[in-house]
């Protein structure tokens, strides 16, 4: 049974930091490229960051470049998103995504709220 379980979300003040985690199980994690998406209320889901299966290449949305870092630990089957210098506009539900060929899996999401 494939599972992607996000954690680490919460309420943080502007300028603060959070680290999201996504624990994967039920598939060969190290074979899948992984990404983080987010969806704010009333908006479409958007790609935040992505990383290749071995972690050798990453890419980011322009809105988070220089502030967010995606990483993975294939030994622990876990994906991370370090978020620094958070802004109110980063408020959204953050989703973990795994993809390989035509296979795509999603987590249930974790809420991140940036507010004073």
């Amino acid at each position: 049974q494939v599972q992607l379980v996000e954690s680490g979300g919460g309420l943080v003040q502007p300028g603060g930091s959070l680290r999201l985690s996504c624990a994967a199980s039920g598939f060969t994690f190290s074979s899948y490229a992984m990404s983080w998406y987010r969806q704010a209320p009333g908006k479409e889901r958007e790609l935040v960051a992505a990383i290749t299966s071995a972690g050798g290449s990453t890419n980011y949305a322009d809105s988070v470049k220089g502030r967010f870092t995606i990483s993975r630990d294939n030994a622990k089957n876990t994906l991370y998103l370090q978020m620094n210098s958070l802004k109110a506009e980063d408020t959204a539900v953050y989703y973990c995504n795994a993809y390989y060929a035509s296979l795509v899996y999603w987590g249930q999401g974790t809420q991140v709220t940036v507010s004073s």
Side-chain angles (χ1 to χ4, degrees), residues 59-111:
N59 65 77
Y60 298 90
D62 287 344
S63 58
V64 306
K65 279 181 182 176
R67 301 188 298 122
F68 290 12
T69 303
I70 188 171
S71 62
R72 64 190 296 163
D73 186 336
N74 284 349
K76 295 182 178 180
N77 288 355
T78 303
L79 176 73
Y80 303 99
L81 184 68
Q82 179 66 45
M83 304 186 295
N84 299 328
S85 303
L86 283 161
K87 305 175 182 179
E89 50 264 43
D90 294 318
T91 295
V93 177
Y94 284 72
Y95 297 91
C96 172
N97 168 281
Y99 55 99
Y100 175 77
S102 60
L103 298 173
V104 180
Y105 305 126
W106 291 93
Q108 83 291 346
T110 185
Q111 176 70 46

mmCIF file of all heavy atoms in Angstrom, residues 59-111:
data_model
loop_
_atom_site.group_PDB
_atom_site.id
_atom_site.type_symbol
_atom_site.label_atom_id
_atom_site.label_comp_id
_atom_site.label_asym_id
_atom_site.label_seq_id
_atom_site.Cartn_x
_atom_site.Cartn_y
_atom_site.Cartn_z
ATOM 1 N N ASN A 59 14.888 21.744 -8.662
ATOM 2 C CA ASN A 59 14.417 22.996 -9.235
ATOM 3 C C ASN A 59 13.313 23.569 -8.364
ATOM 4 O O ASN A 59 12.680 22.840 -7.585
ATOM 5 C CB ASN A 59 13.980 22.838 -10.688
ATOM 6 C CG ASN A 59 12.787 21.938 -10.851
ATOM 7 O OD1 ASN A 59 11.665 22.335 -10.583
ATOM 8 N ND2 ASN A 59 13.016 20.729 -11.291
ATOM 9 N N TYR A 60 13.139 24.876 -8.481
ATOM 10 C CA TYR A 60 12.256 25.606 -7.586
ATOM 11 C C TYR A 60 11.386 26.601 -8.352
ATOM 12 O O TYR A 60 11.800 27.146 -9.385
ATOM 13 C CB TYR A 60 13.091 26.397 -6.560
ATOM 14 C CG TYR A 60 13.936 25.536 -5.668
ATOM 15 C CD1 TYR A 60 15.237 25.194 -6.026
ATOM 16 C CD2 TYR A 60 13.437 25.057 -4.458
ATOM 17 C CE1 TYR A 60 16.018 24.386 -5.215
ATOM 18 C CE2 TYR A 60 14.214 24.251 -3.642
ATOM 19 C CZ TYR A 60 15.501 23.927 -4.024
ATOM 20 O OH TYR A 60 16.266 23.123 -3.210
ATOM 21 N N ALA A 61 10.228 26.856 -7.793
ATOM 22 C CA ALA A 61 9.414 27.959 -8.285
ATOM 23 C C ALA A 61 10.154 29.260 -8.002
ATOM 24 O O ALA A 61 10.845 29.388 -6.988
ATOM 25 C CB ALA A 61 8.059 27.965 -7.597
ATOM 26 N N ASP A 62 9.992 30.219 -8.882
ATOM 27 C CA ASP A 62 10.683 31.501 -8.700
ATOM 28 C C ASP A 62 10.332 32.145 -7.360
ATOM 29 O O ASP A 62 11.169 32.800 -6.737
ATOM 30 C CB ASP A 62 10.317 32.457 -9.832
ATOM 31 C CG ASP A 62 10.972 32.083 -11.151
ATOM 32 O OD1 ASP A 62 11.937 31.290 -11.134
ATOM 33 O OD2 ASP A 62 10.507 32.570 -12.193
ATOM 34 N N SER A 63 9.115 31.927 -6.912
ATOM 35 C CA SER A 63 8.643 32.577 -5.691
ATOM 36 C C SER A 63 9.330 32.066 -4.425
ATOM 37 O O SER A 63 9.268 32.732 -3.388
ATOM 38 C CB SER A 63 7.131 32.391 -5.547
ATOM 39 O OG SER A 63 6.803 31.017 -5.519
ATOM 40 N N VAL A 64 9.996 30.920 -4.497
ATOM 41 C CA VAL A 64 10.629 30.355 -3.299
ATOM 42 C C VAL A 64 12.144 30.197 -3.444
ATOM 43 O O VAL A 64 12.809 29.805 -2.482
ATOM 44 C CB VAL A 64 10.012 28.984 -2.924
ATOM 45 C CG1 VAL A 64 8.501 29.099 -2.786
ATOM 46 C CG2 VAL A 64 10.389 27.899 -3.916
ATOM 47 N N LYS A 65 12.676 30.510 -4.597
ATOM 48 C CA LYS A 65 14.125 30.376 -4.801
ATOM 49 C C LYS A 65 14.889 31.197 -3.780
ATOM 50 O O LYS A 65 14.561 32.357 -3.530
ATOM 51 C CB LYS A 65 14.499 30.823 -6.222
ATOM 52 C CG LYS A 65 14.262 29.776 -7.279
ATOM 53 C CD LYS A 65 14.681 30.287 -8.652
ATOM 54 C CE LYS A 65 14.387 29.250 -9.720
ATOM 55 N NZ LYS A 65 14.691 29.749 -11.084
ATOM 56 N N GLY A 66 15.910 30.571 -3.221
ATOM 57 C CA GLY A 66 16.730 31.255 -2.221
ATOM 58 C C GLY A 66 16.172 31.183 -0.815
ATOM 59 O O GLY A 66 16.857 31.541 0.148
ATOM 60 N N ARG A 67 14.936 30.726 -0.666
ATOM 61 C CA ARG A 67 14.312 30.626 0.660
ATOM 62 C C ARG A 67 14.013 29.176 1.051
ATOM 63 O O ARG A 67 14.092 28.827 2.229
ATOM 64 C CB ARG A 67 13.014 31.439 0.701
ATOM 65 C CG ARG A 67 13.191 32.907 0.409
ATOM 66 C CD ARG A 67 11.905 33.684 0.664
ATOM 67 N NE ARG A 67 10.805 33.249 -0.199
ATOM 68 C CZ ARG A 67 9.641 32.783 0.247
ATOM 69 N NH1 ARG A 67 9.418 32.657 1.550
ATOM 70 N NH2 ARG A 67 8.683 32.435 -0.606
ATOM 71 N N PHE A 68 13.648 28.353 0.074
ATOM 72 C CA PHE A 68 13.282 26.962 0.336
ATOM 73 C C PHE A 68 14.364 26.032 -0.213
ATOM 74 O O PHE A 68 14.982 26.322 -1.240
ATOM 75 C CB PHE A 68 11.968 26.618 -0.349
ATOM 76 C CG PHE A 68 10.737 27.261 0.222
ATOM 77 C CD1 PHE A 68 10.809 28.293 1.148
ATOM 78 C CD2 PHE A 68 9.482 26.826 -0.180
ATOM 79 C CE1 PHE A 68 9.677 28.878 1.669
ATOM 80 C CE2 PHE A 68 8.335 27.396 0.331
ATOM 81 C CZ PHE A 68 8.431 28.431 1.239
ATOM 82 N N THR A 69 14.535 24.904 0.458
ATOM 83 C CA THR A 69 15.470 23.874 0.009
ATOM 84 C C THR A 69 14.808 22.508 0.085
ATOM 85 O O THR A 69 14.336 22.108 1.158
ATOM 86 C CB THR A 69 16.744 23.875 0.862
ATOM 87 O OG1 THR A 69 17.360 25.169 0.819
ATOM 88 C CG2 THR A 69 17.725 22.830 0.336
ATOM 89 N N ILE A 70 14.778 21.823 -1.047
ATOM 90 C CA ILE A 70 14.245 20.458 -1.082
ATOM 91 C C ILE A 70 15.416 19.480 -0.959
ATOM 92 O O ILE A 70 16.493 19.715 -1.518
ATOM 93 C CB ILE A 70 13.442 20.210 -2.375
ATOM 94 C CG1 ILE A 70 12.727 18.863 -2.313
ATOM 95 C CG2 ILE A 70 14.319 20.325 -3.614
ATOM 96 C CD1 ILE A 70 11.736 18.646 -3.476
ATOM 97 N N SER A 71 15.194 18.409 -0.229
ATOM 98 C CA SER A 71 16.217 17.380 -0.091
ATOM 99 C C SER A 71 15.536 16.050 0.182
ATOM 100 O O SER A 71 14.333 16.005 0.441
ATOM 101 C CB SER A 71 17.199 17.730 1.038
ATOM 102 O OG SER A 71 16.533 17.795 2.279
ATOM 103 N N ARG A 72 16.316 14.991 0.119
ATOM 104 C CA ARG A 72 15.758 13.662 0.358
ATOM 105 C C ARG A 72 16.814 12.779 0.994
ATOM 106 O O ARG A 72 18.024 12.973 0.785
ATOM 107 C CB ARG A 72 15.251 13.038 -0.949
ATOM 108 C CG ARG A 72 16.331 12.769 -1.979
ATOM 109 C CD ARG A 72 15.706 12.392 -3.334
ATOM 110 N NE ARG A 72 14.963 11.154 -3.266
ATOM 111 C CZ ARG A 72 14.063 10.765 -4.180
ATOM 112 N NH1 ARG A 72 13.804 11.555 -5.215
ATOM 113 N NH2 ARG A 72 13.418 9.621 -4.042
ATOM 114 N N ASP A 73 16.337 11.797 1.739
ATOM 115 C CA ASP A 73 17.196 10.781 2.332
ATOM 116 C C ASP A 73 16.651 9.438 1.867
ATOM 117 O O ASP A 73 15.653 8.942 2.421
ATOM 118 C CB ASP A 73 17.195 10.891 3.854
ATOM 119 C CG ASP A 73 18.180 9.955 4.512
ATOM 120 O OD1 ASP A 73 18.539 8.927 3.901
ATOM 121 O OD2 ASP A 73 18.576 10.224 5.651
ATOM 122 N N ASN A 74 17.276 8.865 0.866
ATOM 123 C CA ASN A 74 16.761 7.618 0.307
ATOM 124 C C ASN A 74 16.917 6.444 1.277
ATOM 125 O O ASN A 74 16.176 5.464 1.187
ATOM 126 C CB ASN A 74 17.444 7.312 -1.024
ATOM 127 C CG ASN A 74 16.922 8.186 -2.153
ATOM 128 O OD1 ASN A 74 15.914 8.884 -2.000
ATOM 129 N ND2 ASN A 74 17.623 8.182 -3.276
ATOM 130 N N ALA A 75 17.834 6.542 2.204
ATOM 131 C CA ALA A 75 17.991 5.486 3.207
ATOM 132 C C ALA A 75 16.823 5.492 4.194
ATOM 133 O O ALA A 75 16.482 4.456 4.766
ATOM 134 C CB ALA A 75 19.306 5.655 3.947
ATOM 135 N N LYS A 76 16.222 6.658 4.379
ATOM 136 C CA LYS A 76 15.102 6.793 5.310
ATOM 137 C C LYS A 76 13.759 6.921 4.599
ATOM 138 O O LYS A 76 12.726 7.109 5.245
ATOM 139 C CB LYS A 76 15.313 8.012 6.205
ATOM 140 C CG LYS A 76 16.512 7.898 7.127
ATOM 141 C CD LYS A 76 16.633 9.111 8.031
ATOM 142 C CE LYS A 76 17.803 8.982 8.993
ATOM 143 N NZ LYS A 76 17.932 10.158 9.877
ATOM 144 N N ASN A 77 13.772 6.859 3.269
ATOM 145 C CA ASN A 77 12.534 7.000 2.487
ATOM 146 C C ASN A 77 11.780 8.272 2.864
ATOM 147 O O ASN A 77 10.553 8.266 3.049
ATOM 148 C CB ASN A 77 11.615 5.791 2.692
ATOM 149 C CG ASN A 77 12.126 4.544 2.008
ATOM 150 O OD1 ASN A 77 13.130 4.584 1.282
ATOM 151 N ND2 ASN A 77 11.485 3.424 2.245
ATOM 152 N N THR A 78 12.514 9.363 2.956
ATOM 153 C CA THR A 78 11.916 10.604 3.424
ATOM 154 C C THR A 78 12.340 11.780 2.548
ATOM 155 O O THR A 78 13.507 11.909 2.165
ATOM 156 C CB THR A 78 12.301 10.878 4.886
ATOM 157 O OG1 THR A 78 11.905 9.763 5.691
ATOM 158 C CG2 THR A 78 11.602 12.127 5.406
ATOM 159 N N LEU A 79 11.378 12.618 2.268
ATOM 160 C CA LEU A 79 11.568 13.851 1.525
ATOM 161 C C LEU A 79 11.411 15.022 2.493
ATOM 162 O O LEU A 79 10.597 14.953 3.414
ATOM 163 C CB LEU A 79 10.509 13.957 0.417
ATOM 164 C CG LEU A 79 10.480 15.225 -0.425
ATOM 165 C CD1 LEU A 79 11.675 15.245 -1.379
ATOM 166 C CD2 LEU A 79 9.178 15.303 -1.200
ATOM 167 N N TYR A 80 12.183 16.079 2.264
ATOM 168 C CA TYR A 80 12.141 17.244 3.141
ATOM 169 C C TYR A 80 11.940 18.528 2.343
ATOM 170 O O TYR A 80 12.281 18.608 1.163
ATOM 171 C CB TYR A 80 13.452 17.371 3.932
ATOM 172 C CG TYR A 80 13.801 16.166 4.750
ATOM 173 C CD1 TYR A 80 14.724 15.230 4.275
ATOM 174 C CD2 TYR A 80 13.211 15.946 5.984
ATOM 175 C CE1 TYR A 80 15.059 14.116 5.022
ATOM 176 C CE2 TYR A 80 13.537 14.829 6.738
ATOM 177 C CZ TYR A 80 14.462 13.916 6.249
ATOM 178 O OH TYR A 80 14.779 12.808 6.986
ATOM 179 N N LEU A 81 11.429 19.528 3.038
ATOM 180 C CA LEU A 81 11.383 20.869 2.488
ATOM 181 C C LEU A 81 11.711 21.839 3.627
ATOM 182 O O LEU A 81 10.903 22.010 4.544
ATOM 183 C CB LEU A 81 10.024 21.214 1.884
ATOM 184 C CG LEU A 81 9.952 22.582 1.193
ATOM 185 C CD1 LEU A 81 10.819 22.572 -0.074
ATOM 186 C CD2 LEU A 81 8.513 22.936 0.842
ATOM 187 N N GLN A 82 12.885 22.426 3.559
ATOM 188 C CA GLN A 82 13.277 23.450 4.528
ATOM 189 C C GLN A 82 12.800 24.794 4.012
ATOM 190 O O GLN A 82 13.165 25.194 2.906
ATOM 191 C CB GLN A 82 14.796 23.461 4.709
ATOM 192 C CG GLN A 82 15.301 24.524 5.677
ATOM 193 C CD GLN A 82 14.851 24.288 7.092
ATOM 194 O OE1 GLN A 82 14.917 23.174 7.591
ATOM 195 N NE2 GLN A 82 14.399 25.348 7.770
ATOM 196 N N MET A 83 11.989 25.456 4.816
ATOM 197 C CA MET A 83 11.401 26.729 4.401
ATOM 198 C C MET A 83 11.874 27.825 5.352
ATOM 199 O O MET A 83 11.584 27.769 6.548
ATOM 200 C CB MET A 83 9.871 26.629 4.421
ATOM 201 C CG MET A 83 9.335 25.493 3.569
ATOM 202 S SD MET A 83 7.524 25.504 3.454
ATOM 203 C CE MET A 83 7.083 25.187 5.154
ATOM 204 N N ASN A 84 12.602 28.778 4.808
ATOM 205 C CA ASN A 84 13.112 29.903 5.593
ATOM 206 C C ASN A 84 12.499 31.208 5.094
ATOM 207 O O ASN A 84 11.949 31.265 3.993
ATOM 208 C CB ASN A 84 14.633 29.969 5.487
ATOM 209 C CG ASN A 84 15.327 28.736 6.013
ATOM 210 O OD1 ASN A 84 14.840 28.087 6.953
ATOM 211 N ND2 ASN A 84 16.454 28.385 5.430
ATOM 212 N N SER A 85 12.637 32.238 5.901
ATOM 213 C CA SER A 85 12.135 33.577 5.528
ATOM 214 C C SER A 85 10.701 33.499 5.018
ATOM 215 O O SER A 85 10.363 34.066 3.965
ATOM 216 C CB SER A 85 13.054 34.206 4.462
ATOM 217 O OG SER A 85 14.380 34.288 4.925
ATOM 218 N N LEU A 86 9.876 32.825 5.755
ATOM 219 C CA LEU A 86 8.496 32.605 5.311
ATOM 220 C C LEU A 86 7.718 33.901 5.242
ATOM 221 O O LEU A 86 7.914 34.818 6.043
ATOM 222 C CB LEU A 86 7.809 31.609 6.239
ATOM 223 C CG LEU A 86 8.216 30.154 5.988
ATOM 224 C CD1 LEU A 86 7.906 29.280 7.185
ATOM 225 C CD2 LEU A 86 7.531 29.620 4.741
ATOM 226 N N LYS A 87 6.832 33.946 4.252
ATOM 227 C CA LYS A 87 5.991 35.102 4.006
ATOM 228 C C LYS A 87 4.521 34.701 4.113
ATOM 229 O O LYS A 87 4.185 33.519 3.971
ATOM 230 C CB LYS A 87 6.255 35.647 2.606
ATOM 231 C CG LYS A 87 7.710 35.978 2.317
ATOM 232 C CD LYS A 87 7.880 36.397 0.866
ATOM 233 C CE LYS A 87 9.338 36.699 0.537
ATOM 234 N NZ LYS A 87 9.509 37.093 -0.886
ATOM 235 N N ALA A 88 3.667 35.680 4.283
ATOM 236 C CA ALA A 88 2.239 35.401 4.371
ATOM 237 C C ALA A 88 1.749 34.669 3.126
ATOM 238 O O ALA A 88 0.880 33.792 3.207
ATOM 239 C CB ALA A 88 1.467 36.701 4.568
ATOM 240 N N GLU A 89 2.316 35.001 1.986
ATOM 241 C CA GLU A 89 1.878 34.369 0.734
ATOM 242 C C GLU A 89 2.325 32.925 0.596
ATOM 243 O O GLU A 89 1.957 32.249 -0.356
ATOM 244 C CB GLU A 89 2.349 35.187 -0.478
ATOM 245 C CG GLU A 89 3.810 35.550 -0.466
ATOM 246 C CD GLU A 89 4.061 36.948 0.082
ATOM 247 O OE1 GLU A 89 3.435 37.312 1.109
ATOM 248 O OE2 GLU A 89 4.881 37.669 -0.514
ATOM 249 N N ASP A 90 3.122 32.438 1.530
ATOM 250 C CA ASP A 90 3.483 31.016 1.544
ATOM 251 C C ASP A 90 2.407 30.177 2.238
ATOM 252 O O ASP A 90 2.499 28.939 2.239
ATOM 253 C CB ASP A 90 4.812 30.808 2.274
ATOM 254 C CG ASP A 90 5.991 31.444 1.552
ATOM 255 O OD1 ASP A 90 6.046 31.334 0.317
ATOM 256 O OD2 ASP A 90 6.841 32.049 2.224
ATOM 257 N N THR A 91 1.414 30.813 2.809
ATOM 258 C CA THR A 91 0.331 30.094 3.472
ATOM 259 C C THR A 91 -0.414 29.216 2.472
ATOM 260 O O THR A 91 -0.888 29.700 1.441
ATOM 261 C CB THR A 91 -0.648 31.089 4.129
ATOM 262 O OG1 THR A 91 0.033 31.779 5.176
ATOM 263 C CG2 THR A 91 -1.855 30.356 4.694
ATOM 264 N N ALA A 92 -0.492 27.931 2.772
ATOM 265 C CA ALA A 92 -1.115 26.964 1.865
ATOM 266 C C ALA A 92 -1.080 25.588 2.507
ATOM 267 O O ALA A 92 -0.423 25.388 3.533
ATOM 268 C CB ALA A 92 -0.369 26.928 0.531
ATOM 269 N N VAL A 93 -1.779 24.663 1.870
ATOM 270 C CA VAL A 93 -1.592 23.248 2.190
ATOM 271 C C VAL A 93 -0.477 22.738 1.288
ATOM 272 O O VAL A 93 -0.513 22.943 0.065
ATOM 273 C CB VAL A 93 -2.880 22.440 1.962
ATOM 274 C CG1 VAL A 93 -2.625 20.966 2.244
ATOM 275 C CG2 VAL A 93 -4.004 22.966 2.844
ATOM 276 N N TYR A 94 0.507 22.097 1.885
ATOM 277 C CA TYR A 94 1.661 21.585 1.155
ATOM 278 C C TYR A 94 1.524 20.077 0.968
ATOM 279 O O TYR A 94 1.267 19.346 1.938
ATOM 280 C CB TYR A 94 2.946 21.933 1.901
ATOM 281 C CG TYR A 94 3.337 23.376 1.737
ATOM 282 C CD1 TYR A 94 2.613 24.390 2.361
ATOM 283 C CD2 TYR A 94 4.421 23.744 0.936
ATOM 284 C CE1 TYR A 94 2.953 25.720 2.184
ATOM 285 C CE2 TYR A 94 4.772 25.081 0.768
ATOM 286 C CZ TYR A 94 4.028 26.057 1.388
ATOM 287 O OH TYR A 94 4.372 27.380 1.218
ATOM 288 N N TYR A 95 1.724 19.643 -0.274
ATOM 289 C CA TYR A 95 1.566 18.234 -0.633
ATOM 290 C C TYR A 95 2.873 17.655 -1.135
ATOM 291 O O TYR A 95 3.596 18.279 -1.913
ATOM 292 C CB TYR A 95 0.526 18.090 -1.740
ATOM 293 C CG TYR A 95 -0.862 18.532 -1.364
ATOM 294 C CD1 TYR A 95 -1.274 19.841 -1.585
ATOM 295 C CD2 TYR A 95 -1.769 17.635 -0.801
ATOM 296 C CE1 TYR A 95 -2.547 20.251 -1.252
ATOM 297 C CE2 TYR A 95 -3.052 18.039 -0.465
ATOM 298 C CZ TYR A 95 -3.430 19.342 -0.691
ATOM 299 O OH TYR A 95 -4.703 19.748 -0.353
ATOM 300 N N CYS A 96 3.101 16.435 -0.743
ATOM 301 C CA CYS A 96 4.225 15.656 -1.234
ATOM 302 C C CYS A 96 3.760 14.857 -2.454
ATOM 303 O O CYS A 96 2.632 14.357 -2.478
ATOM 304 C CB CYS A 96 4.663 14.731 -0.096
ATOM 305 S SG CYS A 96 5.882 13.513 -0.479
ATOM 306 N N ASN A 97 4.621 14.752 -3.448
ATOM 307 C CA ASN A 97 4.268 14.065 -4.698
ATOM 308 C C ASN A 97 5.423 13.173 -5.124
ATOM 309 O O ASN A 97 6.581 13.583 -5.068
ATOM 310 C CB ASN A 97 3.971 15.129 -5.763
ATOM 311 C CG ASN A 97 3.886 14.568 -7.154
ATOM 312 O OD1 ASN A 97 4.901 14.303 -7.796
ATOM 313 N ND2 ASN A 97 2.671 14.405 -7.641
ATOM 314 N N ALA A 98 5.076 11.967 -5.559
ATOM 315 C CA ALA A 98 6.068 11.038 -6.088
ATOM 316 C C ALA A 98 5.676 10.675 -7.512
ATOM 317 O O ALA A 98 4.499 10.419 -7.780
ATOM 318 C CB ALA A 98 6.117 9.771 -5.234
ATOM 319 N N TYR A 99 6.647 10.642 -8.415
ATOM 320 C CA TYR A 99 6.299 10.294 -9.794
ATOM 321 C C TYR A 99 7.407 9.492 -10.464
ATOM 322 O O TYR A 99 8.590 9.720 -10.250
ATOM 323 C CB TYR A 99 5.943 11.538 -10.617
ATOM 324 C CG TYR A 99 6.980 12.625 -10.639
ATOM 325 C CD1 TYR A 99 7.859 12.754 -11.705
ATOM 326 C CD2 TYR A 99 7.058 13.553 -9.609
ATOM 327 C CE1 TYR A 99 8.798 13.774 -11.734
ATOM 328 C CE2 TYR A 99 7.999 14.569 -9.634
ATOM 329 C CZ TYR A 99 8.859 14.673 -10.694
ATOM 330 O OH TYR A 99 9.787 15.674 -10.712
ATOM 331 N N TYR A 100 6.953 8.537 -11.267
ATOM 332 C CA TYR A 100 7.865 7.680 -12.030
ATOM 333 C C TYR A 100 7.092 7.174 -13.230
ATOM 334 O O TYR A 100 6.096 6.464 -13.075
ATOM 335 C CB TYR A 100 8.349 6.518 -11.165
ATOM 336 C CG TYR A 100 9.200 5.527 -11.914
ATOM 337 C CD1 TYR A 100 10.520 5.800 -12.201
ATOM 338 C CD2 TYR A 100 8.669 4.303 -12.331
ATOM 339 C CE1 TYR A 100 11.308 4.895 -12.900
ATOM 340 C CE2 TYR A 100 9.442 3.400 -13.015
ATOM 341 C CZ TYR A 100 10.760 3.689 -13.309
ATOM 342 O OH TYR A 100 11.529 2.793 -13.995
ATOM 343 N N ALA A 101 7.511 7.556 -14.396
ATOM 344 C CA ALA A 101 6.806 7.203 -15.639
ATOM 345 C C ALA A 101 5.352 7.683 -15.495
ATOM 346 O O ALA A 101 5.109 8.851 -15.286
ATOM 347 C CB ALA A 101 6.923 5.722 -15.924
ATOM 348 N N SER A 102 4.405 6.762 -15.590
ATOM 349 C CA SER A 102 2.998 7.145 -15.510
ATOM 350 C C SER A 102 2.428 7.030 -14.098
ATOM 351 O O SER A 102 1.236 7.260 -13.878
ATOM 352 C CB SER A 102 2.167 6.280 -16.450
ATOM 353 O OG SER A 102 2.282 4.923 -16.087
ATOM 354 N N LEU A 103 3.265 6.685 -13.154
ATOM 355 C CA LEU A 103 2.822 6.509 -11.769
ATOM 356 C C LEU A 103 2.996 7.815 -10.997
ATOM 357 O O LEU A 103 4.073 8.383 -10.981
ATOM 358 C CB LEU A 103 3.622 5.394 -11.102
ATOM 359 C CG LEU A 103 3.479 4.014 -11.727
ATOM 360 C CD1 LEU A 103 4.448 3.029 -11.078
ATOM 361 C CD2 LEU A 103 2.047 3.513 -11.609
ATOM 362 N N VAL A 104 1.924 8.238 -10.366
ATOM 363 C CA VAL A 104 1.953 9.457 -9.570
ATOM 364 C C VAL A 104 1.227 9.191 -8.261
ATOM 365 O O VAL A 104 0.108 8.673 -8.258
ATOM 366 C CB VAL A 104 1.259 10.626 -10.301
ATOM 367 C CG1 VAL A 104 1.308 11.884 -9.428
ATOM 368 C CG2 VAL A 104 1.899 10.882 -11.643
ATOM 369 N N TYR A 105 1.855 9.557 -7.152
ATOM 370 C CA TYR A 105 1.252 9.399 -5.837
ATOM 371 C C TYR A 105 1.254 10.736 -5.116
ATOM 372 O O TYR A 105 2.189 11.540 -5.281
ATOM 373 C CB TYR A 105 2.024 8.370 -5.005
ATOM 374 C CG TYR A 105 2.187 7.023 -5.660
ATOM 375 C CD1 TYR A 105 3.450 6.449 -5.811
ATOM 376 C CD2 TYR A 105 1.088 6.305 -6.123
ATOM 377 C CE1 TYR A 105 3.621 5.215 -6.406
ATOM 378 C CE2 TYR A 105 1.248 5.064 -6.717
ATOM 379 C CZ TYR A 105 2.517 4.534 -6.857
ATOM 380 O OH TYR A 105 2.662 3.298 -7.456
ATOM 381 N N TRP A 106 0.229 10.943 -4.288
ATOM 382 C CA TRP A 106 0.097 12.172 -3.518
ATOM 383 C C TRP A 106 -0.085 11.866 -2.042
ATOM 384 O O TRP A 106 -0.731 10.879 -1.672
ATOM 385 C CB TRP A 106 -1.124 12.965 -3.992
ATOM 386 C CG TRP A 106 -0.996 13.559 -5.348
ATOM 387 C CD1 TRP A 106 -1.402 13.003 -6.528
ATOM 388 C CD2 TRP A 106 -0.436 14.825 -5.683
ATOM 389 N NE1 TRP A 106 -1.123 13.848 -7.570
ATOM 390 C CE2 TRP A 106 -0.530 14.980 -7.078
ATOM 391 C CE3 TRP A 106 0.143 15.856 -4.946
ATOM 392 C CZ2 TRP A 106 -0.072 16.114 -7.751
ATOM 393 C CZ3 TRP A 106 0.597 16.985 -5.608
ATOM 394 C CH2 TRP A 106 0.491 17.108 -6.990
ATOM 395 N N GLY A 107 0.422 12.768 -1.214
ATOM 396 C CA GLY A 107 0.129 12.710 0.207
ATOM 397 C C GLY A 107 -1.158 13.462 0.498
ATOM 398 O O GLY A 107 -1.792 14.029 -0.400
ATOM 399 N N GLN A 108 -1.524 13.480 1.783
ATOM 400 C CA GLN A 108 -2.781 14.107 2.176
ATOM 401 C C GLN A 108 -2.641 15.603 2.455
ATOM 402 O O GLN A 108 -3.640 16.305 2.571
ATOM 403 C CB GLN A 108 -3.345 13.402 3.421
ATOM 404 C CG GLN A 108 -2.779 13.869 4.754
ATOM 405 C CD GLN A 108 -1.323 13.476 4.974
ATOM 406 O OE1 GLN A 108 -0.774 12.634 4.259
ATOM 407 N NE2 GLN A 108 -0.692 14.068 5.979
ATOM 408 N N GLY A 109 -1.403 16.063 2.572
ATOM 409 C CA GLY A 109 -1.158 17.487 2.764
ATOM 410 C C GLY A 109 -0.953 17.876 4.210
ATOM 411 O O GLY A 109 -1.443 17.210 5.121
ATOM 412 N N THR A 110 -0.219 18.969 4.395
ATOM 413 C CA THR A 110 -0.019 19.539 5.719
ATOM 414 C C THR A 110 -0.159 21.059 5.609
ATOM 415 O O THR A 110 0.345 21.667 4.668
ATOM 416 C CB THR A 110 1.357 19.148 6.305
ATOM 417 O OG1 THR A 110 1.463 19.619 7.651
ATOM 418 C CG2 THR A 110 2.520 19.698 5.486
ATOM 419 N N GLN A 111 -0.870 21.634 6.552
ATOM 420 C CA GLN A 111 -1.172 23.060 6.499
ATOM 421 C C GLN A 111 0.000 23.880 7.021
ATOM 422 O O GLN A 111 0.528 23.608 8.101
ATOM 423 C CB GLN A 111 -2.417 23.369 7.330
ATOM 424 C CG GLN A 111 -2.769 24.843 7.421
ATOM 425 C CD GLN A 111 -3.279 25.412 6.120
ATOM 426 O OE1 GLN A 111 -4.130 24.797 5.468
ATOM 427 N NE2 GLN A 111 -2.768 26.575 5.716
#
